[in-house]
Amino acid sequence: MSLTNPTPGSGEKLLDVSGLRKAFGSHEVLRGIDLSIERGRVLVLIGPSGSGKTTVLRSINGLEIPEAGVVTAAGGIRVDYAAKPAKKDILALRDRTAMVFQHYNLFPHMTVIENIIEGPTQVQGVKKAQAIAEAEALLERVGLAEKRDVYPFQLSGGQAQRVGIVRALALKPDLLLFDEPTSALDPELVGDVLAVMKELADEGWTMLVVTHELAFARQVADEVLFMDGGVIVERGAPRDIFTAPREERTQQFLHRIL
Ligand code: ADP
């Protein structure tokens, strides 16, 4: 089975987010976020810790319910958070987007294969035999076929994260959301995970990636968004953002981490 996204590079707007606002108590974490992604494109979201990057991903996935903002996605999905969206619309959004988490979030009491087939069989109604066959093919692709029946604690961080990626792919989403997928890994394990992500990008998957791996962003992103204080301060092609950032806050951030 190929990892290939069925219709890459069509120019179709796959996701549109406008006016996203979220506060935790009196702390305004998102103060009006607008972004959109065309099918087959890779957006990388960078910015200091606490700037709201994870909250943007979680709001797109319906894991966080913001006070305001409209998220539209392929297939006629429209969630208007200010208008108390129906649960079924949030579930539809979640079904079309799949999240890869910083700490993998694998179910500890399930084997690798059980982790991967859980969503397809329990949420999407895929037959177990078919889900297993697809999961095995995906595991093969990321070099983890022999880990099929082990438990998460028996995996290295890099292996666990590749299982996390396979689990997201098994849902056949339109959009892959990556929340700092390599920041919990030992440095020598980062490369394997980034290599899988690069392969997915090359194959036309649509991806929104939060990461501090600027070399990856430079190589893989179509567009880089710099966030600070709950707003997108600057956006553009990687070579522009990294070599000639216009905004002082972007310059300071890059200066600190480069
Ligand atoms: P980033 O991903 O850029 O580090 P986050 O989106 O994780 O930023 O967090 C933005 C801010 O929101 C931080 O100050 C964080 O402490 C706060 N925050 C995130 N989730 C919660 C929550 N569930 N309750 C209270 N504050 C939160």
Side-chain angles (χ1 to χ4, degrees):
M1 182 178 143
S2 165
L3 298 180
T4 305
N5 195 338
T7 50
S10 60
E12 171 200 355
K13 201 187 262 191
L14 194 68
L15 183 90
D16 189 79
V17 174
S18 69
L20 212 53
R21 306 188 77 86
K22 172 75 185 169
F24 291 107
S26 60
H27 182 190
E28 283 187 84
V29 170
L30 302 183
R31 299 189 293 134
I33 298 292
D34 301 322
L35 60 88
S36 62
I37 310 179
E38 285 177 14
R39 194 179 282 278
R41 309 273 284 177
V42 177
L43 256 62
V44 170
L45 191 53
I46 60 171
S49 178
S51 57
K53 305 180 300 295
T54 295
T55 308
V56 169
L57 292 192
R58 290 173 59 84
S59 300
I60 290 172
N61 192 238
L63 283 173
E64 205 70 74
I65 305 297
E67 285 86 47
V70 177
V71 180
T72 51
I77 297 169
R78 184 174 192 278
V79 172
D80 181 353
Y81 281 118
K84 297 265 178 297
K87 179 107 184 158
K88 74 166 178 35
D89 293 330
I90 291 177
L91 291 177
L93 189 60
R94 192 169 302 163
D95 186 59
R96 294 293 80 224
T97 59
M99 189 104 159
V100 175
F101 298 91
Q102 182 176 5
H103 295 286
Y104 336 125
N105 294 20
L106 300 176
F107 301 114
H109 59 290
M110 291 183 184
T111 63
V112 163
I113 196 96
E114 287 167 352
N115 263 280
I116 299 166
I117 69 168
E118 177 73 7
T121 58
Q122 298 303 311
V123 182
Q124 297 182 325
V126 177
K127 292 265 189 308
K128 192 170 176 188
Q130 185 191 338
I132 288 175
E134 290 178 0
E136 286 173 344
L138 288 168
L139 281 173
E140 183 84 43
R141 283 295 307 272
V142 300
L144 291 177
E146 82 285 6
K147 299 294 182 188
R148 182 190 189 285
D149 296 315
V150 309
Y151 286 87
F153 77 90
Q154 296 167 294
L155 300 171
S156 72
Q159 291 168 342
Q161 192 56 293
R162 280 181 282 155
V163 172
I165 293 172
V166 164
R167 186 175 58 170
L169 294 174
L171 295 166
K172 303 189 177 129
D174 286 323
L175 174 66
L176 292 167
L177 304 169
F178 292 87
D179 188 11
E180 297 196 29
T182 59
S183 57
L185 300 177
D186 291 335
E188 73 274 19
L189 303 177
V190 169
D192 285 350
V193 172
L194 292 179
V196 171
M197 291 169 63
K198 173 150 190 339
E199 195 181 318
L200 296 174
D202 289 344
E203 292 185 2
W205 283 87
T206 314
M207 299 164 48
L208 176 54
V209 183
V210 172
T211 186
H212 294 294
E213 295 288 338
L214 298 192
F216 171 85
R218 206 180 258 265
Q219 201 186 2
V220 177
D222 294 297
E223 189 180 13
V224 174
L225 282 66
F226 170 67
M227 247 186 106
D228 194 14
V231 296
I232 295 172
V233 173
E234 185 164 357
R235 59 182 94 200
R239 68 175 176 283
D240 296 334
I241 298 285
F242 293 131
T243 56
R246 292 182 306 273
E247 300 293 331
E248 196 178 331
R249 277 195 280 175
T250 321
Q251 292 162 10
Q252 284 169 354
F253 172 74
L254 292 172
H255 190 70
R256 273 204 307 277
I257 70 167
L258 281 176

PDB file of all heavy atoms in Angstrom, residues 22-25 27-30 46-58 64 102 179-180 210 212 227, ligand 1:
ATOM      1  N   LYS A  22      -9.055  32.189  21.528  1.00  0.00           N
ATOM      2  CA  LYS A  22      -9.202  31.268  22.662  1.00  0.00           C
ATOM      3  C   LYS A  22      -8.564  31.876  23.903  1.00  0.00           C
ATOM      4  O   LYS A  22      -7.447  32.396  23.836  1.00  0.00           O
ATOM      5  CB  LYS A  22      -8.508  29.929  22.325  1.00  0.00           C
ATOM      6  CG  LYS A  22      -8.403  28.956  23.470  1.00  0.00           C
ATOM      7  CD  LYS A  22      -9.722  28.293  23.794  1.00  0.00           C
ATOM      8  CE  LYS A  22      -9.643  27.412  25.014  1.00  0.00           C
ATOM      9  NZ  LYS A  22     -10.972  26.986  25.467  1.00  0.00           N
ATOM     10  N   ALA A  23      -9.283  31.837  25.007  1.00  0.00           N
ATOM     11  CA  ALA A  23      -8.709  32.286  26.281  1.00  0.00           C
ATOM     12  C   ALA A  23      -8.800  31.154  27.296  1.00  0.00           C
ATOM     13  O   ALA A  23      -9.743  30.356  27.258  1.00  0.00           O
ATOM     14  CB  ALA A  23      -9.466  33.508  26.793  1.00  0.00           C
ATOM     15  N   PHE A  24      -7.792  31.055  28.128  1.00  0.00           N
ATOM     16  CA  PHE A  24      -7.889  30.196  29.310  1.00  0.00           C
ATOM     17  C   PHE A  24      -8.016  31.143  30.490  1.00  0.00           C
ATOM     18  O   PHE A  24      -7.055  31.834  30.834  1.00  0.00           O
ATOM     19  CB  PHE A  24      -6.646  29.308  29.461  1.00  0.00           C
ATOM     20  CG  PHE A  24      -6.542  28.247  28.389  1.00  0.00           C
ATOM     21  CD1 PHE A  24      -5.594  28.354  27.377  1.00  0.00           C
ATOM     22  CD2 PHE A  24      -7.391  27.148  28.392  1.00  0.00           C
ATOM     23  CE1 PHE A  24      -5.501  27.373  26.398  1.00  0.00           C
ATOM     24  CE2 PHE A  24      -7.301  26.162  27.412  1.00  0.00           C
ATOM     25  CZ  PHE A  24      -6.349  26.277  26.419  1.00  0.00           C
ATOM     26  N   GLY A  25      -9.188  31.225  31.091  1.00  0.00           N
ATOM     27  CA  GLY A  25      -9.432  32.240  32.119  1.00  0.00           C
ATOM     28  C   GLY A  25      -9.268  33.610  31.489  1.00  0.00           C
ATOM     29  O   GLY A  25      -9.848  33.894  30.439  1.00  0.00           O
ATOM     30  N   HIS A  27      -6.430  34.680  30.352  1.00  0.00           N
ATOM     31  CA  HIS A  27      -5.256  34.650  29.483  1.00  0.00           C
ATOM     32  C   HIS A  27      -5.687  34.392  28.030  1.00  0.00           C
ATOM     33  O   HIS A  27      -6.122  33.291  27.695  1.00  0.00           O
ATOM     34  CB  HIS A  27      -4.308  33.538  29.982  1.00  0.00           C
ATOM     35  CG  HIS A  27      -3.050  33.430  29.199  1.00  0.00           C
ATOM     36  ND1 HIS A  27      -2.174  32.387  29.355  1.00  0.00           N
ATOM     37  CD2 HIS A  27      -2.498  34.233  28.264  1.00  0.00           C
ATOM     38  CE1 HIS A  27      -1.161  32.544  28.542  1.00  0.00           C
ATOM     39  NE2 HIS A  27      -1.324  33.660  27.864  1.00  0.00           N
ATOM     40  N   GLU A  28      -5.563  35.407  27.194  1.00  0.00           N
ATOM     41  CA  GLU A  28      -5.909  35.251  25.776  1.00  0.00           C
ATOM     42  C   GLU A  28      -4.762  34.573  25.045  1.00  0.00           C
ATOM     43  O   GLU A  28      -3.717  35.183  24.826  1.00  0.00           O
ATOM     44  CB  GLU A  28      -6.173  36.622  25.145  1.00  0.00           C
ATOM     45  CG  GLU A  28      -7.516  37.208  25.477  1.00  0.00           C
ATOM     46  CD  GLU A  28      -7.731  38.474  24.666  1.00  0.00           C
ATOM     47  OE1 GLU A  28      -8.166  38.380  23.507  1.00  0.00           O
ATOM     48  OE2 GLU A  28      -7.420  39.552  25.197  1.00  0.00           O
ATOM     49  N   VAL A  29      -4.977  33.339  24.687  1.00  0.00           N
ATOM     50  CA  VAL A  29      -3.906  32.526  24.104  1.00  0.00           C
ATOM     51  C   VAL A  29      -3.897  32.643  22.578  1.00  0.00           C
ATOM     52  O   VAL A  29      -2.832  32.664  21.957  1.00  0.00           O
ATOM     53  CB  VAL A  29      -4.085  31.065  24.560  1.00  0.00           C
ATOM     54  CG1 VAL A  29      -3.167  30.139  23.815  1.00  0.00           C
ATOM     55  CG2 VAL A  29      -3.848  30.966  26.055  1.00  0.00           C
ATOM     56  N   LEU A  30      -5.081  32.702  21.978  1.00  0.00           N
ATOM     57  CA  LEU A  30      -5.183  32.963  20.533  1.00  0.00           C
ATOM     58  C   LEU A  30      -5.965  34.251  20.354  1.00  0.00           C
ATOM     59  O   LEU A  30      -7.076  34.384  20.881  1.00  0.00           O
ATOM     60  CB  LEU A  30      -5.879  31.800  19.806  1.00  0.00           C
ATOM     61  CG  LEU A  30      -5.249  30.423  19.933  1.00  0.00           C
ATOM     62  CD1 LEU A  30      -6.031  29.405  19.094  1.00  0.00           C
ATOM     63  CD2 LEU A  30      -3.779  30.422  19.524  1.00  0.00           C
ATOM     64  N   ILE A  46       6.089  28.107  13.530  1.00  0.00           N
ATOM     65  CA  ILE A  46       7.176  28.246  14.501  1.00  0.00           C
ATOM     66  C   ILE A  46       6.828  29.383  15.466  1.00  0.00           C
ATOM     67  O   ILE A  46       5.930  30.179  15.199  1.00  0.00           O
ATOM     68  CB  ILE A  46       8.541  28.533  13.821  1.00  0.00           C
ATOM     69  CG1 ILE A  46       8.499  29.845  13.013  1.00  0.00           C
ATOM     70  CG2 ILE A  46       8.954  27.372  12.920  1.00  0.00           C
ATOM     71  CD1 ILE A  46       9.859  30.297  12.488  1.00  0.00           C
ATOM     72  N   GLY A  47       7.574  29.432  16.564  1.00  0.00           N
ATOM     73  CA  GLY A  47       7.345  30.516  17.522  1.00  0.00           C
ATOM     74  C   GLY A  47       7.749  30.080  18.905  1.00  0.00           C
ATOM     75  O   GLY A  47       7.893  28.885  19.168  1.00  0.00           O
ATOM     76  N   PRO A  48       7.914  31.044  19.820  1.00  0.00           N
ATOM     77  CA  PRO A  48       8.362  30.697  21.159  1.00  0.00           C
ATOM     78  C   PRO A  48       7.355  29.832  21.907  1.00  0.00           C
ATOM     79  O   PRO A  48       6.170  29.815  21.572  1.00  0.00           O
ATOM     80  CB  PRO A  48       8.533  32.053  21.853  1.00  0.00           C
ATOM     81  CG  PRO A  48       7.979  33.079  20.957  1.00  0.00           C
ATOM     82  CD  PRO A  48       7.763  32.482  19.614  1.00  0.00           C
ATOM     83  N   SER A  49       7.856  29.155  22.916  1.00  0.00           N
ATOM     84  CA  SER A  49       7.008  28.345  23.769  1.00  0.00           C
ATOM     85  C   SER A  49       5.929  29.232  24.402  1.00  0.00           C
ATOM     86  O   SER A  49       6.216  30.346  24.826  1.00  0.00           O
ATOM     87  CB  SER A  49       7.903  27.713  24.842  1.00  0.00           C
ATOM     88  OG  SER A  49       7.137  26.959  25.702  1.00  0.00           O
ATOM     89  N   GLY A  50       4.709  28.742  24.397  1.00  0.00           N
ATOM     90  CA  GLY A  50       3.616  29.503  25.004  1.00  0.00           C
ATOM     91  C   GLY A  50       2.952  30.483  24.048  1.00  0.00           C
ATOM     92  O   GLY A  50       2.031  31.206  24.430  1.00  0.00           O
ATOM     93  N   SER A  51       3.380  30.506  22.789  1.00  0.00           N
ATOM     94  CA  SER A  51       2.808  31.491  21.859  1.00  0.00           C
ATOM     95  C   SER A  51       1.448  31.058  21.313  1.00  0.00           C
ATOM     96  O   SER A  51       0.765  31.847  20.669  1.00  0.00           O
ATOM     97  CB  SER A  51       3.788  31.772  20.707  1.00  0.00           C
ATOM     98  OG  SER A  51       4.123  30.592  20.015  1.00  0.00           O
ATOM     99  N   GLY A  52       1.057  29.789  21.549  1.00  0.00           N
ATOM    100  CA  GLY A  52      -0.278  29.337  21.150  1.00  0.00           C
ATOM    101  C   GLY A  52      -0.296  28.322  20.020  1.00  0.00           C
ATOM    102  O   GLY A  52      -1.370  27.957  19.525  1.00  0.00           O
ATOM    103  N   LYS A  53       0.862  27.814  19.629  1.00  0.00           N
ATOM    104  CA  LYS A  53       0.949  26.920  18.461  1.00  0.00           C
ATOM    105  C   LYS A  53       0.131  25.637  18.662  1.00  0.00           C
ATOM    106  O   LYS A  53      -0.656  25.240  17.787  1.00  0.00           O
ATOM    107  CB  LYS A  53       2.424  26.561  18.169  1.00  0.00           C
ATOM    108  CG  LYS A  53       3.319  27.775  17.975  1.00  0.00           C
ATOM    109  CD  LYS A  53       4.757  27.399  17.694  1.00  0.00           C
ATOM    110  CE  LYS A  53       5.439  26.598  18.786  1.00  0.00           C
ATOM    111  NZ  LYS A  53       5.614  27.320  20.077  1.00  0.00           N
ATOM    112  N   THR A  54       0.328  24.995  19.817  1.00  0.00           N
ATOM    113  CA  THR A  54      -0.411  23.758  20.087  1.00  0.00           C
ATOM    114  C   THR A  54      -1.913  24.019  20.119  1.00  0.00           C
ATOM    115  O   THR A  54      -2.705  23.221  19.608  1.00  0.00           O
ATOM    116  CB  THR A  54       0.034  23.154  21.442  1.00  0.00           C
ATOM    117  OG1 THR A  54       1.392  22.771  21.311  1.00  0.00           O
ATOM    118  CG2 THR A  54      -0.795  21.952  21.831  1.00  0.00           C
ATOM    119  N   THR A  55      -2.292  25.156  20.679  1.00  0.00           N
ATOM    120  CA  THR A  55      -3.719  25.476  20.776  1.00  0.00           C
ATOM    121  C   THR A  55      -4.324  25.661  19.382  1.00  0.00           C
ATOM    122  O   THR A  55      -5.485  25.297  19.155  1.00  0.00           O
ATOM    123  CB  THR A  55      -3.923  26.718  21.670  1.00  0.00           C
ATOM    124  OG1 THR A  55      -3.245  26.495  22.910  1.00  0.00           O
ATOM    125  CG2 THR A  55      -5.389  26.967  21.942  1.00  0.00           C
ATOM    126  N   VAL A  56      -3.550  26.177  18.440  1.00  0.00           N
ATOM    127  CA  VAL A  56      -4.046  26.280  17.059  1.00  0.00           C
ATOM    128  C   VAL A  56      -4.329  24.876  16.510  1.00  0.00           C
ATOM    129  O   VAL A  56      -5.417  24.604  15.982  1.00  0.00           O
ATOM    130  CB  VAL A  56      -3.018  27.007  16.145  1.00  0.00           C
ATOM    131  CG1 VAL A  56      -3.416  26.868  14.681  1.00  0.00           C
ATOM    132  CG2 VAL A  56      -2.908  28.470  16.537  1.00  0.00           C
ATOM    133  N   LEU A  57      -3.369  23.958  16.667  1.00  0.00           N
ATOM    134  CA  LEU A  57      -3.574  22.595  16.150  1.00  0.00           C
ATOM    135  C   LEU A  57      -4.775  21.939  16.811  1.00  0.00           C
ATOM    136  O   LEU A  57      -5.607  21.317  16.145  1.00  0.00           O
ATOM    137  CB  LEU A  57      -2.338  21.720  16.410  1.00  0.00           C
ATOM    138  CG  LEU A  57      -1.046  22.025  15.672  1.00  0.00           C
ATOM    139  CD1 LEU A  57      -0.066  20.879  15.865  1.00  0.00           C
ATOM    140  CD2 LEU A  57      -1.283  22.243  14.196  1.00  0.00           C
ATOM    141  N   ARG A  58      -4.854  22.077  18.131  1.00  0.00           N
ATOM    142  CA  ARG A  58      -5.936  21.410  18.862  1.00  0.00           C
ATOM    143  C   ARG A  58      -7.303  21.995  18.495  1.00  0.00           C
ATOM    144  O   ARG A  58      -8.301  21.289  18.484  1.00  0.00           O
ATOM    145  CB  ARG A  58      -5.689  21.495  20.371  1.00  0.00           C
ATOM    146  CG  ARG A  58      -4.502  20.625  20.814  1.00  0.00           C
ATOM    147  CD  ARG A  58      -4.149  20.842  22.285  1.00  0.00           C
ATOM    148  NE  ARG A  58      -5.238  20.548  23.182  1.00  0.00           N
ATOM    149  CZ  ARG A  58      -5.536  19.339  23.637  1.00  0.00           C
ATOM    150  NH1 ARG A  58      -4.799  18.300  23.277  1.00  0.00           N
ATOM    151  NH2 ARG A  58      -6.552  19.164  24.453  1.00  0.00           N
ATOM    152  N   GLU A  64      -9.742  21.230  21.261  1.00  0.00           N
ATOM    153  CA  GLU A  64      -9.912  22.438  22.057  1.00  0.00           C
ATOM    154  C   GLU A  64     -11.080  23.185  21.435  1.00  0.00           C
ATOM    155  O   GLU A  64     -11.209  23.198  20.199  1.00  0.00           O
ATOM    156  CB  GLU A  64      -8.631  23.281  21.934  1.00  0.00           C
ATOM    157  CG  GLU A  64      -8.363  24.202  23.070  1.00  0.00           C
ATOM    158  CD  GLU A  64      -7.977  23.460  24.340  1.00  0.00           C
ATOM    159  OE1 GLU A  64      -6.842  22.955  24.418  1.00  0.00           O
ATOM    160  OE2 GLU A  64      -8.821  23.398  25.245  1.00  0.00           O
ATOM    161  N   GLN A 102       3.361  15.264  20.508  1.00  0.00           N
ATOM    162  CA  GLN A 102       4.741  15.329  21.000  1.00  0.00           C
ATOM    163  C   GLN A 102       5.126  14.071  21.788  1.00  0.00           C
ATOM    164  O   GLN A 102       6.209  13.531  21.620  1.00  0.00           O
ATOM    165  CB  GLN A 102       4.852  16.568  21.904  1.00  0.00           C
ATOM    166  CG  GLN A 102       6.219  16.810  22.454  1.00  0.00           C
ATOM    167  CD  GLN A 102       6.262  18.107  23.261  1.00  0.00           C
ATOM    168  OE1 GLN A 102       5.235  18.779  23.476  1.00  0.00           O
ATOM    169  NE2 GLN A 102       7.429  18.461  23.707  1.00  0.00           N
ATOM    170  N   ASP A 179       2.369  18.000  16.195  1.00  0.00           N
ATOM    171  CA  ASP A 179       2.641  18.913  17.298  1.00  0.00           C
ATOM    172  C   ASP A 179       4.010  18.615  17.908  1.00  0.00           C
ATOM    173  O   ASP A 179       4.134  17.754  18.767  1.00  0.00           O
ATOM    174  CB  ASP A 179       1.539  18.790  18.360  1.00  0.00           C
ATOM    175  CG  ASP A 179       1.679  19.845  19.431  1.00  0.00           C
ATOM    176  OD1 ASP A 179       2.491  20.779  19.248  1.00  0.00           O
ATOM    177  OD2 ASP A 179       0.981  19.746  20.455  1.00  0.00           O
ATOM    178  N   GLU A 180       5.009  19.322  17.477  1.00  0.00           N
ATOM    179  CA  GLU A 180       6.385  19.110  17.942  1.00  0.00           C
ATOM    180  C   GLU A 180       6.728  17.624  18.018  1.00  0.00           C
ATOM    181  O   GLU A 180       7.067  17.108  19.084  1.00  0.00           O
ATOM    182  CB  GLU A 180       6.605  19.782  19.300  1.00  0.00           C
ATOM    183  CG  GLU A 180       6.449  21.283  19.225  1.00  0.00           C
ATOM    184  CD  GLU A 180       7.030  22.002  20.441  1.00  0.00           C
ATOM    185  OE1 GLU A 180       7.977  21.468  21.036  1.00  0.00           O
ATOM    186  OE2 GLU A 180       6.536  23.081  20.763  1.00  0.00           O
ATOM    187  N   VAL A 210       4.028  21.881  13.682  1.00  0.00           N
ATOM    188  CA  VAL A 210       4.660  22.739  14.685  1.00  0.00           C
ATOM    189  C   VAL A 210       5.997  22.104  15.022  1.00  0.00           C
ATOM    190  O   VAL A 210       6.055  20.933  15.417  1.00  0.00           O
ATOM    191  CB  VAL A 210       3.792  22.836  15.962  1.00  0.00           C
ATOM    192  CG1 VAL A 210       4.557  23.560  17.066  1.00  0.00           C
ATOM    193  CG2 VAL A 210       2.484  23.545  15.671  1.00  0.00           C
ATOM    194  N   HIS A 212      10.465  22.952  16.087  1.00  0.00           N
ATOM    195  CA  HIS A 212      11.629  23.831  16.245  1.00  0.00           C
ATOM    196  C   HIS A 212      12.756  23.395  15.324  1.00  0.00           C
ATOM    197  O   HIS A 212      13.856  23.941  15.390  1.00  0.00           O
ATOM    198  CB  HIS A 212      12.104  23.814  17.706  1.00  0.00           C
ATOM    199  CG  HIS A 212      11.107  24.407  18.658  1.00  0.00           C
ATOM    200  ND1 HIS A 212      10.758  25.740  18.627  1.00  0.00           N
ATOM    201  CD2 HIS A 212      10.352  23.852  19.632  1.00  0.00           C
ATOM    202  CE1 HIS A 212       9.848  25.976  19.560  1.00  0.00           C
ATOM    203  NE2 HIS A 212       9.575  24.844  20.177  1.00  0.00           N
ATOM    204  N   MET A 227       4.558  32.637  14.915  1.00  0.00           N
ATOM    205  CA  MET A 227       3.550  33.053  15.890  1.00  0.00           C
ATOM    206  C   MET A 227       4.202  33.592  17.139  1.00  0.00           C
ATOM    207  O   MET A 227       5.226  33.066  17.578  1.00  0.00           O
ATOM    208  CB  MET A 227       2.746  31.809  16.306  1.00  0.00           C
ATOM    209  CG  MET A 227       1.315  31.837  15.871  1.00  0.00           C
ATOM    210  SD  MET A 227       0.440  30.420  16.547  1.00  0.00           S
ATOM    211  CE  MET A 227      -0.506  31.260  17.807  1.00  0.00           C
TER     212      MET A 227
HETATM  213  P1  ADP B   1       2.884  26.606  22.357  1.00  0.00           P
HETATM  214  O1  ADP B   1       2.418  25.379  21.664  1.00  0.00           O
HETATM  215  O2  ADP B   1       3.234  27.715  21.431  1.00  0.00           O
HETATM  216  O3  ADP B   1       3.961  26.351  23.359  1.00  0.00           O
HETATM  217  P2  ADP B   1       0.342  26.448  23.729  1.00  0.00           P
HETATM  218  O4  ADP B   1      -0.722  26.554  22.712  1.00  0.00           O
HETATM  219  O5  ADP B   1       0.694  25.086  24.246  1.00  0.00           O
HETATM  220  O6  ADP B   1       1.655  27.188  23.200  1.00  0.00           O
HETATM  221  O7  ADP B   1      -0.035  27.325  24.976  1.00  0.00           O
HETATM  222  C1  ADP B   1      -0.296  28.719  24.898  1.00  0.00           C
HETATM  223  C2  ADP B   1      -0.591  29.238  26.294  1.00  0.00           C
HETATM  224  O8  ADP B   1      -1.810  28.684  26.737  1.00  0.00           O
HETATM  225  C3  ADP B   1       0.453  28.901  27.321  1.00  0.00           C
HETATM  226  O9  ADP B   1       0.620  29.999  28.175  1.00  0.00           O
HETATM  227  C4  ADP B   1      -0.177  27.750  28.072  1.00  0.00           C
HETATM  228  O10 ADP B   1       0.293  27.705  29.389  1.00  0.00           O
HETATM  229  C5  ADP B   1      -1.639  28.075  28.013  1.00  0.00           C
HETATM  230  N1  ADP B   1      -2.489  26.875  28.048  1.00  0.00           N
HETATM  231  C6  ADP B   1      -2.509  25.898  27.140  1.00  0.00           C
HETATM  232  N2  ADP B   1      -3.423  24.945  27.464  1.00  0.00           N
HETATM  233  C7  ADP B   1      -3.998  25.367  28.626  1.00  0.00           C
HETATM  234  C8  ADP B   1      -5.011  24.837  29.481  1.00  0.00           C
HETATM  235  N3  ADP B   1      -5.631  23.686  29.195  1.00  0.00           N
HETATM  236  N4  ADP B   1      -5.322  25.546  30.587  1.00  0.00           N
HETATM  237  C9  ADP B   1      -4.709  26.712  30.871  1.00  0.00           C
HETATM  238  N5  ADP B   1      -3.749  27.280  30.107  1.00  0.00           N
HETATM  239  C10 ADP B   1      -3.390  26.614  28.998  1.00  0.00           C
END
